[in-house]
Amino acid sequence: MSRRRPSSRSSTPARGRGKQATSRPAGQLRIIGGEHRRRRLPVLDSPGLRPTPDRVRETLFNWLGMATPGARVLDLFTGTGALGLEALSRGAAEATLVERDARVARALSDNLATLGIASAEVSVADALGYLEAGLAEERSPFSLVFLDPPFRQGLAAPCCRALEAGWLAADAWIYVETESELTPAVPSGWRLHREVRAGDSTGRLYHRPDTAGASPDDDAC
């Protein structure tokens, strides 16, 4: 996922970028844990396309504890892929990375190839459109979802609602990152587990408890 700023575009942009990405690397993404720890990957030169800070990622994956190994991951508005790639490095079984910008998607595919990861797919699509396309029944549900829409586009709430249309496992974890002034409207069955603020954004980790029993990670810190 990426750090991003508000966009004036009315359509659903990929991570709030105001311009198309170029093919010139502008920076690097560092994997901070797991099999690919310390690996550095290029990030395209595109306004607002920056990896989620190391501190936030470390905090998030500490919260997730043992929920990451073996997880089926859905990373929406993927951008740099920072969280999806981090989850894969930390033992996630597979991941679907949804990114609207074709150039950024190609860079994500290149980074997956660099890491030798074959258990992930990159889907070039609008994230909300992807969720609303009625394809959930064709896939196994996801146990871990990252949702980091462009700021101030009103996308968090409809994406959260759309996830309930068969995309989520019974005990799924959902990380939602928004502008700090917004408290996103989420489905009633989601329980807020933890939250973290960094600059002008706030990340919230929700749990969708399995009614059959409590998750072993409920007390993760």
Side-chain angles (χ1 to χ4, degrees), residues 20 98 137 159 167-168 176:
Q20 279 194 322
V98 181
E137 62 184 21
C159 283
W167 291 102
L168 300 175
V176 183

Side-chain angles (χ1 to χ4, degrees), residues 3 12 48 50 70-71 84 92 126 145 150-151 162 171 173:
R3 320 310 300 165
T12 306
R50 296 294 181 270
D126 171 273
V145 176
F151 286 179
D171 60 346
W173 294 87

Side-chain angles (χ1 to χ4, degrees), residues 10 20 29 41 70 77 110 112 127 141 144 152 171 175 199 203 211 219:
S10 59
Q20 279 194 322
L29 161 67
L41 302 166
F77 304 97
D110 289 344
L112 288 167
L144 177 55
R152 303 175 184 91
D171 60 346
Y175 175 74
T211 55
D219 295 326

Side-chain angles (χ1 to χ4, degrees), residues 1-208:
M1 292 191 181
S2 313
R3 320 310 300 165
R4 63 245 179 278
R5 295 294 182 267
S7 169
S8 60
R9 302 192 323 189
S10 59
S11 60
T12 306
R15 291 298 158 99
R17 289 181 292 275
K19 301 178 182 178
Q20 279 194 322
T22 71
S23 58
R24 177 168 60 88
Q28 290 186 324
L29 161 67
R30 182 170 70 95
I31 305 296
I32 57 177
E35 179 183 357
H36 303 291
R37 184 180 180 186
R38 298 193 179 93
R39 290 293 298 273
R40 295 180 182 274
L41 302 166
V43 174
L44 287 184
D45 181 15
S46 180
L49 186 64
R50 296 294 181 270
T52 297
D54 289 5
R55 179 182 67 83
V56 174
R57 277 185 283 150
E58 188 66 49
T59 296
L60 173 60
F61 283 96
N62 283 343
W63 291 345
L64 287 168
M66 294 306 296
T68 304
R72 297 192 69 254
V73 175
L74 176 62
D75 189 358
L76 299 164
F77 304 97
T78 300
T80 66
L83 292 179
L85 292 172
E86 190 73 41
L88 288 163
S89 179
R90 292 170 183 255
E94 57 185 280
T96 297
L97 313 178
V98 181
E99 169 55 51
R100 177 177 175 175
D101 190 303
R103 293 183 180 181
V104 176
R106 284 195 296 272
L108 285 166
S109 295
D110 289 344
N111 284 339
L112 288 167
T114 295
L115 295 175
I117 295 175
S119 57
E121 64 174 352
V122 179
S123 180
V124 183
D126 171 273
L128 182 56
Y130 180 88
L131 294 176
E132 293 181 337
L135 302 176
E137 62 184 21
E138 300 177 7
R139 312 192 56 137
S140 298
F142 293 95
S143 58
L144 177 55
V145 176
F146 301 122
L147 174 60
D148 183 11
F151 286 179
R152 303 175 184 91
Q153 295 292 314
L155 292 167
C159 283
C160 289
R161 288 195 300 269
L163 283 168
E164 281 293 324
W167 291 102
L168 300 175
D171 60 346
W173 294 87
I174 309 100
Y175 175 74
V176 183
E177 188 170 321
T178 65
E179 59 271 32
S180 289
E181 68 266 24
L182 175 68
T183 300
V186 301
S188 59
W190 295 12
R191 184 177 65 195
L192 179 62
H193 183 69
R194 296 281 195 278
E195 64 180 63
V196 60
R197 181 166 181 169
D200 61 353
S201 68
T202 296
R204 296 175 174 88
L205 180 63
Y206 296 91
H207 188 210
R208 186 176 184 263

